[in-house]
Amino acid sequence: MLGLSITAIGLRPFEDCLNIFQTLQEPLHLDFLELAIGSQCPVEFDYPNIPLILHDSCLYRKNFRLRLNLLRPKTWQAYADFIANHDVRAVSLHPPRQRDCTKQELEIALLKLEEALNIPVYTEVMPSPEYWCSSEETLVDRALLVDVSHILIWHRGDRALTQQTCLNLLDRAGAIHLSHNSGYADTHDLIPQDIWFTDCIQNWARDRFVTYESLPIAYGKHERLDKLSRRAPLQHNRYDTHKTQSCRALPALGETKV
């Protein structure tokens, strides 16, 4: 299944995010919406008949974020209640810091959470070394959410190593996050057309949950609102500068000047 994360289009009212999802559903062949940090995803909202994935602590009740803490079972109930009343296909979450639990304690907690929610639970690979699942040596023996951009950070922007690592982890991956960055920060940049995983997406989505956590560059006008607003002045300034230059200095049609 192929889906879109609120993270990619958020920092807007939730209703606007839902409209963007519906606009992109056909051209991107979207099967589900991932509720995630970016815009508030209220438990009170009358969700339409769309399959959902819950990513980490994404739910809000009356403007208060409901924390989903893997190590505190009391925090699971609000998510279990939501799942019982909606078409939620899976939950993915960030692992805790290594200082907070042992690997065995983490794996036991993951098993118990999955039993409590009665749907698959996937543990995300993380970009920062203080967390579990932030390297191949610290991965848990449970189904993973492989975030391609997090692994790009593991390898400091080396795309060949990133591709190799992602492909090596496919057998352990129940879910995949797609976004882009420079290899040094998880910036959720627009996804270039020529990125290595473009030809893999449809195949991966046959038996995994594959989620756009940032948009392909062709759909950049729907980008997360804070990033879109930062790009707009930059584009305006480039236009003003080009007006004072000769035609020889102008980029060719379709060329992106970085």
Side-chain angles (χ1 to χ4, degrees):
M1 296 181 72
L2 189 60
L4 178 65
S5 174
I6 292 291
T7 299
I9 57 175
L11 293 180
R12 296 174 167 90
F14 182 80
E15 291 82 357
D16 292 350
C17 293
L18 187 60
N19 287 335
I20 292 173
F21 171 81
Q22 291 169 338
T23 297
L24 297 178
Q25 194 167 8
E26 183 175 345
L28 286 178
H29 309 290
L30 301 175
D31 303 303
F32 66 86
L33 176 66
E34 180 184 85
L35 304 187
I37 293 304
S39 291
Q40 291 189 16
C41 304
V43 296
E44 303 92 353
F45 187 80
D46 185 17
Y47 289 85
N49 189 26
I50 299 172
L52 303 173
I53 285 183
L54 306 184
H55 181 57
D56 211 59
S57 298
C58 62
L59 296 179
Y60 283 74
R61 178 181 289 126
K62 297 181 179 178
N63 297 323
F64 288 96
R65 187 181 179 191
L66 300 173
R67 297 284 178 177
L68 178 61
N69 188 323
L70 182 60
L71 303 178
R72 295 186 179 180
K74 288 183 178 180
T75 68
W76 303 353
Q77 190 58 51
Y79 284 78
D81 292 343
F82 184 88
I83 290 166
N85 292 290
H86 298 85
D87 184 10
V88 180
R89 303 297 177 89
V91 168
S92 59
L93 76 171
H94 300 166
R97 292 179 175 85
Q98 295 185 48
R99 71 187 184 197
D100 293 334
C101 66
T102 67
K103 182 178 177 181
Q104 183 179 26
E105 289 169 338
L106 172 54
E107 290 174 346
I108 291 172
L110 286 167
L111 176 61
K112 289 182 177 179
L113 175 62
E114 193 166 69
E115 291 173 346
L117 301 182
N118 199 33
I119 57 173
V121 173
Y122 303 115
T123 309
E124 185 171 19
V125 300
M126 300 296 283
S128 304
E130 67 267 26
Y131 290 91
W132 287 106
C133 299
S134 57
S135 66
E136 292 188 67
E137 295 73 28
T138 58
L139 294 175
V140 293
D141 189 19
R142 302 288 301 172
L144 299 174
L145 162 57
V146 173
D147 187 305
V148 174
S149 283
H150 289 181
I151 293 177
L152 187 63
I153 293 171
W154 292 9
H155 297 304
R156 294 293 185 265
D158 188 318
R159 293 195 185 189
L161 283 176
T162 297
Q163 180 176 355
Q164 180 181 341
T165 300
C166 290
L167 295 178
N168 288 343
L169 293 178
L170 279 183
D171 288 345
R172 305 177 62 177
I176 297 173
H177 270 178
L178 305 176
S179 67
H180 186 59
N181 62 55
S182 65
Y184 294 91
D186 194 25
T187 49
H188 293 270
D189 298 334
L190 294 173
I191 299 171
Q193 292 178 342
D194 62 348
I195 200 162
W196 68 268
F197 56 72
T198 298
D199 294 335
C200 302
I201 293 174
Q202 292 302 320
N203 185 47
W204 288 350
R206 288 174 186 165
D207 53 5
R208 300 174 183 88
F209 296 103
V210 179
T211 305
Y212 286 108
E213 213 179 16
S214 64
L215 288 172
I217 197 166
Y219 302 96
K221 68 179 182 180
H222 301 295
E223 190 178 22
R224 202 175 77 189
L225 195 57
D226 62 323
K227 294 178 69 64
L228 186 62
S229 63
R230 285 200 297 268
R231 281 199 296 121
L234 181 60
Q235 291 171 344
H236 178 72
N237 290 339
R238 286 175 179 168
Y239 176 72
D240 288 345
T241 301
H242 290 158
K243 286 196 299 183
T244 65
Q245 297 173 342
S246 68
C247 293
R248 189 176 304 170
L250 290 172
L253 183 63
E255 177 185 346
T256 300
K257 190 174 181 182
V258 179

